[in-house]
């Protein structure tokens, strides 16, 4: 099972928290570096791209670009626009308190955000039952996408395919879509987002919107596939909403780390907090960040703040105020692809997280695109009349950088091919099945995307309703780890590209690299067969092929054999006279194909153990937990040496041997329970990854707070930071000559000192990057508006909410404890089958921190923005001020029309109004003289549910009262008669036909007359009135409730075929239950009639074990009393009763045999016989 150790509990943040005081009093808290978006224009896009590369990608630190709200369209990026244009669109809001999804419309959610926010205060913000509804991961409107394209720099925008300049080197003439004629395209350069190189059908659409209120949050996590995260705050609430109601200013608090601390953060999460950061299920407490051994970067994201998140850097977000609206997207670069192959994908494979970005496919298609661009440059360099463009193409920094990226992508592509190389055997090549690549095949166990070769089981095939087959496909990495279906072996090889095609492209691209590098050198790329010779280890495909021969095939239809009990010691027997007899243990019988495990001293199957040349064998599970060695590492090394030969064995026998130093686990393993993520047909045959390594950590004596594991990770982080930040000449082109062009042309502008590193402006007040040199230049006025000297700023007030610093002794207990750092922990319930993730901590322990020392405060970064809270009624920009004046005028006009002008005006001006009501003395005396029994009313049960789903579903159908009176049309039988002499006969008898009965009569709901009317309409008149729409397929998939401890994408539901998409058959699924229900009702009612006559053998009958044979819920039918007599017993038994008669909901009364004519309950003659 997963770990049963204590784990840190969830503790929310108080609404009254003072962020400035928190940062000032915490030594390891710092504000993130900020720059103004105006600097991008003054310094140029190239300088900004270089800043992002140095500071975020290579340096691994977050960056904030502020001021985008001045450029966003004030009319489009508002909640009112979103409600008017997309208010009826249904999305899944995540209920963070219950870990469930709630289907609501966007308009319904936006209308109730004020209520969701006002429920929180400094006294109840820890309540576990209150709603925290977060509208996250919703599609960004197309209009917003187009507007953001005009504002955000092109190099960092969503799916950017070129960072070249318009008309730059390599540009060609292209048709102008906005005017007749031609225009210059962008020059040849690398793509800002390599996802754009994929075919459109394979791209992952990650441009998402996040709308949250006070108390919603995103747990600590990393960006998917080591991509570069980008988040822009496009709209926040101010002090008033458009209707004039008071609101709370919106903002988001970010707790961020840097990439070079990622291993330290991960180990701190595992060993100290008891959570795995890869699962994305824990929001860390403030005290946990305070006691962390790394620097935490704090950002208060306000309107217009654009945050760039480093790859693999853990971070979490807490939303404040009435409303925050953010747009986020991710970018994939060469740097992120290298991190993805080395770290992100192996970690995601362990926990079974979806790989939505298709990283291996991005490498292949990026090489295809870059190769075509470089060939285009070579064609332009050829014999042309315009030779003056040749120097620009040859020495262009963007083209040279494209060549370096092409070389790095080629190295990654070589790694992919070397992993899939099979030993040359013509027979095996013919057995490989070919399946054209479409990018949709994923591993059945880890759910990662498969690029080329994989294994498929020929036995475990599930036929689907649409005629397709759900095959069990396993990636090579998972199979080498011992993951597979229950067959274990007997797999078939499948490839999606012809191997010759991939190798031919590899050689063609290699020759292209040699050409633009000027010929063969010591660093030139080698052919694929030479790379294979220098590998000195088995390829991944060769390992899988070897394991296919070693592992036995198991029939999944047969029950697994019972495990044999192992007797660990001699057995002691107590005789009748009280004496003890020791029964010697029988020698273990050595079965065929079994060898002895060095650690447990038991004989196990040889394919489950790794044997060394010395004769000792270790299980793969022991090597993984005790020696941090993956099974693939052992299998691919032909000269593998066991821990005993390396003198690091930590078993009990070897600890006593002189010269052996037991190995200490370098990291913490909590265990990865992927049963609800992987395919239900899956199993783990080599290593039980659900087990933790705590026992081996205890043996090493490292089970304490200040563990050597944390110290080791801390030393690694410090060593990585000491290397500094610089551009590697092998990977990057250093543009520019070191000069800085400034805009300080005004002679009256006073010169100021600005720090630069590699020609990039860094604010000296914020510390910036380690500077190799400074330049004294005239600073831009944009810096004067954005950055202010910390000495001139007012000292922040020292008020901290009492609920944020005091321990609430009433809520402690119930399994919750605190440590010396104030972190709240909880121990999981042993009876809980899923104790890995805590749900709630009722209290947060915060001790008032002592003020930091002067030396520490001098090193800390000060808050760089002196901005005020942006409100809806005040903006320094003149255009915004005019817009808000018009908005106020329109709001007051609407309030006047709705008779609430006084309330709206008072709310805008912050005034209060007292109203006195005149009450009559006698009435007042009557009210005061009422007894408590007369005045008491039933109080409704208090509930914390504020927002409910507005999706039209059967559960939300409005039910009518018990017996409401309504008008229904009653038709006479003679009006529909075909006999012409019926009216004439009545006239002869002297009847007055002019006095017709009223066609409308009052009936009560649920009466027999109403049921008769409903039956004439098919028995479903009420259902047709409130019939809901079918749930769309995409909402049906997104509305699946996930597990409490794992993110939404890790839920396990029956999936369609991974090779082809399966259409949604909602109409078919909705019709079949109705037919079955009608048939069940028919048989049940017919059976009730048989019981009433005392003869169950005649007519149709069902066994008592069937569901349809159960008695009806109607007591009249069960007792045999109804309102319709039958002609005779034979009227039931001689003919077959139609389904329509018994599925309309009519009530039938069984009478005596003497009756001849059936009558309805209302006295009318029934015009239907009972099928005889």
């Amino acid at each position: 099972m997963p770990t049963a150790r204590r784990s840190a509990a969830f503790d929310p943040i108080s609404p009254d928290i003072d962020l400035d005081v928190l940062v000032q009093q915490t030594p390891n808290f710092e504000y993130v570096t900020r720059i103004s978006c105006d600097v991008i224009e003054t310094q140029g896009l190239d300088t900004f791209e270089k800043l992002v590369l140095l500071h975020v990608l290579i340096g691994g630190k977050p960056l904030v670009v502020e001021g985008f709200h001045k450029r966003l369209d004030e009319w489009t990026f508002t909640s009112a626009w979103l409600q008017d244009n997309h208010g009826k669109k249904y999305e899944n809001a995540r209920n963070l308190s219950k870990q469930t999804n709630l289907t609501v419309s966007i308009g319904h959610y936006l209308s109730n955000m004020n209520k969701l926010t006002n429920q929180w205060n400094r006294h109840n913000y820890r309540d576990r039952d209150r709603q925290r509804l977060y509208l996250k991961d919703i599609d960004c409107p197309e209009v917003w996408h187009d507007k953001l394209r005009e504002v955000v720099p092109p190099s960092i925008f969503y799916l950017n395919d070129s960072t070249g300049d318009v008309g730059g080197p390599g540009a060609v003439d292209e048709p102008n879509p906005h005017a007749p004629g031609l225009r210059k395209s962008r020059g040849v350069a690398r793509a800002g987002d390599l996802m754009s190189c994929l075919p459109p059908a394979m791209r992952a659409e990650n441009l998402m919107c996040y709308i949250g209120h006070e108390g919603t949050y995103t747990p600590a996590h990393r960006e998917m596939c080591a991509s570069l995260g980008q988040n822009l705050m496009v709209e926040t609430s101010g002090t008033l909403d458009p209707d004039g109601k008071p609101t709370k200013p919106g903002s988001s608090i970010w707790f961020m780390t840097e990439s070079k601390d990622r291993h330290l953060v991960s180990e701190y999460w595992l060993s100290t907090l008891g959570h795995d950061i890869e699962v994305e299920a824990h929001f860390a407490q403030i005290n946990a960040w305070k006691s962390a051994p790394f620097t935490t970067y704090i950002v208060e994201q306000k309107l217009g703040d654009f945050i760039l998140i480093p790859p693999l850097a853990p971070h979490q977000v807490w939303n404040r105020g009435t409303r925050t609206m953010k747009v986020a997207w991710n970018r994939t670069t060469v740097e992120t692809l290298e991190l993805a192959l080395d770290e992100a994908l192996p970690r995601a494979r362990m926990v079974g997280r979806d790989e939505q970005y298709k990283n291996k496919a991005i490498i292949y298609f990026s090489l295809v695109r870059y190769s075509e661009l470089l060939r285009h440059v070579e064609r332009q360099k050829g014999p042309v009349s315009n030779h003056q463009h040749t120097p620009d193409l040859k020495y262009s920094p963007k083209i040279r950088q494209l060549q370096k990226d092409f070389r790095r992508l080629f190295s990654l592509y070589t790694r992919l091919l070397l992993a899939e190389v099979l030993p040359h055997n013509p027979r095996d090549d013919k057995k490989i099945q070919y399946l054209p690549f479409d990018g949709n095949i994923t591993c059945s166990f880890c759910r990662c995307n498969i690029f080329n070769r994989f294994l498929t089981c020929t036995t475990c095939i599930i036929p689907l309703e649409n005629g397709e087959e759900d095959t069990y496909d396993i990636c090579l990495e998972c199979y080498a780890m011992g993951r597979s279906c229950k067959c274990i072996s007997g797999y078939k090889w499948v490839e999606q590209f012809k191997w010759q095609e991939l190798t031919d492209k590899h050689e063609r691209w290699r020759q292209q690299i040699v050409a633009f590098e000027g010929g063969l050198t010591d660093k030139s790329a080698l052919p694929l067969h030479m790379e294979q010779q220098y590998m000195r280890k088995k390829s991944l495909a060769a390992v899988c092929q070897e394991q296919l021969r070693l592992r036995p095939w198991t029939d999944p239809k047969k029950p697994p054999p019972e495990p044999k009990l192992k007797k660990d010691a001699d057995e002691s027997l107590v005789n009748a006279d009280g004496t003890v007899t020791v029964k010697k243990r029988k020698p273990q019988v050595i079965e065929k194909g079994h060898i002895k495990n060095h650690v447990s001293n038991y004989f196990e199957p040889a394919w489950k153990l790794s044997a060394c040349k010395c004769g000792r064998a270790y299980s793969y599970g022991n090597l993984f937990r005790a020696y941090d060695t993956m099974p693939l590492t052992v299998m691919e090394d032909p000269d593998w040496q066991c821990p005993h030969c390396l003198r690091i064995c930590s078993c009990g026998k070897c600890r006593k041997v002189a010269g052996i130093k037991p190995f200490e686990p370098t990291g913490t393993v909590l265990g990865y329970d992927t049963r609800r993520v992987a395919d239900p047909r899956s199993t783990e045959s080599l290593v039980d990854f659900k087990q933790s390594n705590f026992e081996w950590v205890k043996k090493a004596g490292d089970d304490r707070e200040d563990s050597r594991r944390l110290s080791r990770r801390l030393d690694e982080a410090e060593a990585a930071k000491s290397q500094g930040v610089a551009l590697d000449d092998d990977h990057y082109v250093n543009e520019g000559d070191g000069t800085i062009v400034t805009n300080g042309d005004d002679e009256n502008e006073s010169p100021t000192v600005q720090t630069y590193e590699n020609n990039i402006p860094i604010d000296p007040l914020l510390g910036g990057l380690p500077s190799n040199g400074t330049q004294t230049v005239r600073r831009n006025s944009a810096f004067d508006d954005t950055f202010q000297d910390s000495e001139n700023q007012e000292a922040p007030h020292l008020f901290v909410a009492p609920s944020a610093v005091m321990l609430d002794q009433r809520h402690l207990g119930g399994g919750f404890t605190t440590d010396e750092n104030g972190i709240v922990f909880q121990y999981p319930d042993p009876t809980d089958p899923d104790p890995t993730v805590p749900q709630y901590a009722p209290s947060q322990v915060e001790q008032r921190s002592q003020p930091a020392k002067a030396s520490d405060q001098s090193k800390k970064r000060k808050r760089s923005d002196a901005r005020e809270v942006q409100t809806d009624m005040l903006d320094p920009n003149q255009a915004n001020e005019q817009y808000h004046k018009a908005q106020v005028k329109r709001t007051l006009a609407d309030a006047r029309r709705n008779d609430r002008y006084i309330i709206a005006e008072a709310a805008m001006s912050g005034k209060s109004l007292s109203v006195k009501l005149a009450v009559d003395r006698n009435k007042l005396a009557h009210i005061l003289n009422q007894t408590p029994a007369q005045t008491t009313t039933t109080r409704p049960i208090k509930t914390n549910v504020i927002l409910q789903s507005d999706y039209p579903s059967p559960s939300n159908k409005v039910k009518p009262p018990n017996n409401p009176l309504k008008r229904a049309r009653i038709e006479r039988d003679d009006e529909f008669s075909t006999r012409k002499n019926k009216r004439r006969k009545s006239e002869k008898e002297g009847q007055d036909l002019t006095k017709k009965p009223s066609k409308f009569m009052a009936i009560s709901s649920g009466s027999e007359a109403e049921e008769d009317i409903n039956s004439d309409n098919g028995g479903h008149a009420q259902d047709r009135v409130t019939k809901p729409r079918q749930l769309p397929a995409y909402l049906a998939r997104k509305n699946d409730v996930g597990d409490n401890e794992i993110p939404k994408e890790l839920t396990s539901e029956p999936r369609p075929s991974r090779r082809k998409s399966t259409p949604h058959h909602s109409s078919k699924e909705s019709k079949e239950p109705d037919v079955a229900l009608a048939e069940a009702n028919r048989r049940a009612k017919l059976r009730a009639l048989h019981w009433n006559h005392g003869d169950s053998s005649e007519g149709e009958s069902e066994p008592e074990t069937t569901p349809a044979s159960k008695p009806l819920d109607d007591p009249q039918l069960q007792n045999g009393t109804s309102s319709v007599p039958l002609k005779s017993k034979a009227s039931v038994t001689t003919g077959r009763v139609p389904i329509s008669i018994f599925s309309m909901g009519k009530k039938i009364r069984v009478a005596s045999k003497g009756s001849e004519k059936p009558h309805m309950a209302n006295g009318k003659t029934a015009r239907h016989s009972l099928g005889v």
Side-chain angles (χ1 to χ4, degrees), residues 1006-1013 1116 1123 1147 1149 1160-1162:
S1007 64
E1008 295 177 349
E1010 185 190 14
E1011 292 177 359
D1012 181 55
I1013 296 171
Q1116 292 183 354
S1123 59
K1147 295 183 178 180
R1149 177 180 298 147
M1160 299 300 294
N1162 56 0

Side-chain angles (χ1 to χ4, degrees), residues 481-668:
M481 294 166 57
R483 295 173 169 179
S484 63
C485 65
K486 293 180 174 58
C487 296
I488 300 178
S489 185
Y491 285 81
K492 185 178 180 180
W493 284 93
V494 185
E495 65 180 9
Q496 305 179 70
F497 291 94
K498 294 294 184 181
W499 185 252
Q500 190 64 35
E501 176 187 355
L502 296 178
T503 55
D504 290 345
K505 288 186 176 180
H506 182 275
E507 181 62 23
R508 188 185 314 127
W509 293 335
R510 188 189 70 85
Q511 294 177 2
Q512 196 172 2
I513 293 174
V514 173
F516 64 68
E517 286 184 348
L520 291 173
T521 61
D522 296 338
K523 298 182 180 180
S524 298
L526 298 177
L528 187 61
H529 67 277
M530 296 185 64
E531 293 281 2
Q532 186 178 358
Q533 294 176 2
Y534 288 113
M535 218 170 41
R536 296 182 180 178
K537 63 180 182 180
K538 302 176 185 178
S539 65
L540 176 60
V543 169
C544 294
Q545 192 176 31
E546 180 182 348
Q547 292 296 315
L548 283 173
R549 293 192 297 264
L550 295 177
R551 301 177 189 178
W553 181 81
T554 305
D555 191 355
K557 298 180 181 179
K558 295 182 179 180
E562 297 181 359
K564 298 181 179 180
L565 299 177
K566 298 179 180 180
K567 298 181 179 180
D568 296 336
D570 296 337
E571 186 177 359
S572 299
L573 300 177
V574 180
N575 302 323
D577 56 354
T579 60
V580 178
T581 303
V582 179
K583 185 178 181 181
K584 296 294 183 180
R585 180 176 57 179
K586 295 182 180 181
Q588 187 178 3
V589 179
I590 303 176
E591 300 181 6
K592 185 179 179 180
H594 284 54
I595 58 177
K596 188 176 183 180
N597 190 335
H598 174 69
V599 178
S600 63
N601 289 330
Y602 281 96
F603 288 88
E604 299 180 10
W607 62 274
K608 290 187 176 183
L609 303 177
S610 177
C612 180
K613 295 179 180 180
C614 66
R616 297 176 179 86
Y618 289 76
S619 66
Y620 291 103
N622 181 266
L623 292 174
F624 172 71
R625 283 181 286 272
Y627 303 99
D628 298 340
T629 305
M630 291 291 293
L632 179 60
T633 306
V634 180
M635 298 174 183
E636 67 184 2
D637 188 1
D639 302 324
W640 177 76
Q641 292 181 333
C642 66
H644 181 83
C645 295
L646 297 176
R647 318 301 291 175
I648 58 173
C649 185
S650 57
C651 68
K653 295 181 299 182
C654 295
R655 286 178 181 269
K656 302 176 182 178
V657 178
I660 291 183
K661 184 179 180 181
F663 181 84
E664 293 184 6
T666 59
T668 305

Side-chain angles (χ1 to χ4, degrees), residues 191-483:
D193 186 4
L194 293 180
M195 182 76 70
S196 61
C197 298
L198 285 177
M202 301 181 189
R203 298 172 183 172
E205 298 181 1
N206 56 24
L207 184 65
M208 299 295 178
C209 292
Y210 298 81
I211 306 175
H213 60 83
E214 175 73 48
T216 57
Y217 60 90
T218 300
H221 67 286
R222 311 174 196 258
E223 294 300 321
M224 181 177 293
C225 299
S227 57
L228 177 63
Q230 298 174 151
N231 192 293
L232 175 61
M233 182 77 77
V234 297
E235 203 267 348
T236 59
S237 58
T239 55
L240 291 176
D241 63 358
D243 296 334
K245 298 180 181 179
T247 57
K248 298 180 180 179
S251 63
S252 296
I253 303 176
W254 290 62
F255 298 84
M256 311 182 71
T257 58
E258 54 182 306
S259 298
K260 296 180 180 180
D261 286 335
R262 60 184 182 272
H263 301 298
L264 177 60
V265 177
S266 179
E267 181 60 33
Y268 177 73
W269 240 251
L270 292 168
S271 60
T272 304
L273 302 184
H275 294 276
D276 192 346
I277 204 167
E278 302 296 336
V279 181
E280 303 183 9
H282 176 61
F283 183 87
Q285 311 166 26
I286 292 182
N287 284 332
W289 292 100
K290 286 182 178 181
S291 58
F294 49 82
T295 302
T296 301
Y297 296 92
I298 305 297
V299 178
E300 185 177 8
Q301 186 184 19
K302 297 183 179 179
L303 182 62
D305 287 350
F306 183 63
I307 301 179
L308 286 87
I309 307 161
L312 293 178
H315 58 281
Q316 67 182 26
V317 188
W318 182 269
N319 296 320
R320 304 177 68 187
T322 302
R323 183 177 61 257
T324 59
M325 299 173 60
K326 300 184 282 288
V327 177
W329 66 94
N330 293 68
R331 290 194 299 123
T332 302
T333 63
V334 180
E335 294 82 7
T336 63
L337 286 175
E338 293 174 344
L339 293 174
L341 293 185
D342 294 336
E343 298 184 34
L345 292 185
R347 291 176 179 271
R349 186 175 296 110
M350 292 297 295
V351 300
R353 185 181 181 186
D354 277 336
E355 183 198 352
Q356 301 179 5
Y357 288 178
K358 303 178 177 64
N359 290 269
K360 297 179 181 179
I362 289 177
I363 295 173
Y364 174 78
F365 286 100
S366 298
L367 283 170
V368 173
R369 176 177 174 80
Y370 281 10
S371 177
E372 180 61 30
L373 291 176
L374 292 175
R375 284 199 300 267
H376 169 71
V377 173
E378 293 298 326
R379 287 193 296 266
Q380 287 190 346
K381 289 181 181 179
V384 293
S385 58
N386 247 350
H387 291 285
Q388 62 269 18
H389 296 296
T390 302
D392 296 338
L393 295 173
K394 185 176 181 180
Y395 300 105
S396 172
K398 292 185 178 296
I399 295 179
R400 289 160 52 202
Q401 185 61 54
L402 177 65
Q403 295 173 350
K404 291 182 178 295
D405 286 359
F406 184 77
R407 173 62 186 271
R408 297 175 71 177
L409 289 171
F410 180 79
S411 300
L412 298 178
Y413 179 69
T414 304
R415 289 175 53 183
L416 299 182
L417 294 188
L418 291 176
E420 297 185 358
V421 169
L422 282 171
H424 181 65
N425 189 348
R427 296 181 180 180
D428 295 339
D429 296 341
K430 295 180 180 179
K431 296 180 181 179
I432 300 178
Q433 179 185 354
Y434 173 70
L435 185 68
F437 179 80
D438 60 357
N440 295 325
I441 297 181
T442 58
C443 178
S444 299
F445 200 107
C446 69
R447 302 162 66 180
C448 287
N449 185 262
I450 300 177
F451 171 62
N452 184 29
R453 286 181 172 173
F454 61 94
L455 298 171
T456 182
C457 183
T458 58
T459 305
C460 299
I461 300 177
I462 300 177
L464 301 178
E465 295 181 358
N466 59 352
E468 297 180 2
E469 295 179 345
D470 185 11
T471 58
Y472 190 90
D473 304 327
I474 193 77
C475 66
L476 303 183
E477 291 84 357
C478 281
Y479 191 75
M481 294 166 57
R483 295 173 169 179

Side-chain angles (χ1 to χ4, degrees), residues 116-181:
L116 293 170
T117 302
N118 292 336
Q119 66 175 329
W120 303 107
N121 54 53
R122 55 188 294 185
H123 303 291
N124 65 357
Y125 70 93
R126 290 190 177 97
D127 290 353
R128 60 180 302 179
D129 296 329
R130 295 183 180 271
Q131 284 184 320
R132 302 178 187 268
L133 296 179
Y134 197 7
L135 201 60
K136 57 187 303 185
D137 295 329
I138 65 175
D139 296 332
C140 180
E142 189 67 23
V143 178
W144 284 16
H145 172 271
D146 298 337
K147 295 287 186 180
L148 290 175
R149 185 194 297 271
E150 303 172 358
V151 176
V152 179
S155 59
I156 61 174
F157 191 62
Y158 177 63
L159 291 180
N160 173 262
D161 57 354
S162 177
T163 57
D165 300 328
V166 176
V172 296
D173 295 331
E174 62 179 8
N176 191 350
H178 305 291

